[in-house]
């Protein structure tokens, strides 16, 4: 169980790094229409901690990562997805929760073989019941969808956005090699 938690934490760090690098690489154009594994690899978006073999991005647990452009609200290229394939059952919920602690995505979905896709999180909120049910398969795919903000809108990554409710706390896992959680808080007035 500890190994699954460590790997989920490592992959959540990779997901956050990929997202941040995507925003730096393509954010100026505000268009992610050409995002895929090939462009991300050639543009240096993939962290050095993730092995790349013949154009395939590998994970620490033996699955793959697939990057793709996403159409959001009918707007092609408004977002991108980071999909982890072959996620082991024992790591599925941990991966979703670890990633969600670090970054807020438009949606998080889990797809188990033969059961279809289930949205388990939207705009930073995870439905634990849906997550538990969706992660019950042996190997699942987990997709994190980032949505570009409209011009003039506050980014979902901006730490200065006033929380609603006025006080907000969240927990993050400690870095690899440490035990426990880091509790962060912010308030608005």
């Amino acid at each position: 169980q500890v190994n699954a938690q460590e790997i989920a934490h490592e992959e959540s760090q990779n997901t956050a790094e990929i997202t941040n690098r995507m925003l730096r690489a393509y954010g100026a154009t505000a268009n992610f229409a050409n995002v895929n594994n090939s462009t991300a690899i050639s543009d240096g978006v993939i962290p050095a901690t993730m092995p790349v073999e013949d154009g395939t991005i590998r994970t620490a647990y033996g699955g793959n990562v697939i990057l793709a452009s996403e159409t959001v609200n009918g707007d092609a290229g408004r977002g991108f997805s980071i999909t982890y394939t072959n996620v082991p059952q024992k790591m599925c919920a941990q991966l979703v929760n670890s990633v969600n602690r670090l970054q807020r995505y438009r949606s998080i979905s889990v797809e188990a073989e033969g059961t279809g896709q289930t949205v388990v999180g939207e705009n930073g909120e995870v439905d634990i019941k849906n997550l538990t049910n969706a992660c019950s398969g042996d190997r699942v795919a987990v997709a994190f969808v980032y949505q570009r903000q409209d011009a003039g809108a506050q980014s979902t990554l901006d730490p200065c956005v006033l929380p609603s409710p006025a006080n907000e706390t969240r927990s993050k896992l400690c870095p690899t090699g440490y035990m426990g959680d880091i509790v962060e808080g912010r308030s608005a007035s």
Side-chain angles (χ1 to χ4, degrees):
Q1 192 73 317
V2 172
N3 189 30
Q5 183 178 4
E6 288 175 3
I7 292 172
H9 178 69
E10 179 181 337
E11 295 302 341
S12 70
Q13 296 288 328
N14 288 333
T15 304
E17 185 63 24
I18 289 170
T19 300
N20 289 332
R21 289 179 179 204
M22 293 279 274
L23 295 175
R24 285 194 300 269
Y26 311 115
T29 64
N31 188 332
F32 302 105
N34 295 320
V35 168
N36 58 44
N37 282 19
S38 295
T39 58
I41 292 166
S42 66
D43 292 342
V45 170
I46 308 306
T49 56
M50 300 186 84
V52 176
E53 301 168 4
D54 299 322
T56 301
I57 305 164
R58 305 278 185 203
T59 65
Y61 62 84
N64 299 328
V65 174
I66 301 167
L67 302 176
S69 176
E70 292 289 331
T71 298
V72 179
N73 299 329
D75 187 1
R78 183 177 178 153
F80 62 86
S81 60
I82 304 170
T83 302
Y84 283 80
T85 65
N86 296 317
V87 178
Q89 180 182 16
K90 66 182 178 182
M91 199 180 98
C92 178
Q94 292 175 355
L95 177 64
V96 168
N97 286 322
S98 291
V99 169
N100 195 55
R101 283 186 195 115
L102 294 175
Q103 198 115 357
R104 301 296 189 210
Y105 289 88
R106 179 182 192 276
S107 68
I108 302 171
S109 60
V110 175
E111 184 171 0
E113 195 171 309
T115 63
Q117 188 175 47
T118 303
V119 175
V120 298
E122 291 185 294
N123 301 315
E125 299 295 323
V126 173
D127 182 317
I128 299 301
K129 183 178 178 184
N130 281 349
L131 177 62
T132 302
N133 291 335
C135 286
S136 63
D138 285 337
R139 296 275 177 176
V140 299
V142 180
F144 303 93
V145 176
Y146 177 86
Q147 173 183 340
R148 178 191 84 229
Q149 299 297 307
D150 292 324
Q154 288 269 310
S155 166
T156 57
L157 303 178
D158 186 347
C160 296
V161 173
L162 296 178
S164 178
N167 295 309
E168 178 181 70
T169 59
R170 68 178 180 178
S171 296
K172 294 178 15 178
L173 293 175
C174 289
T176 303
Y178 295 91
M179 299 295 291
D181 289 332
I182 299 169
V183 178
E184 297 176 332
R186 64 181 181 165
S187 60
S189 55

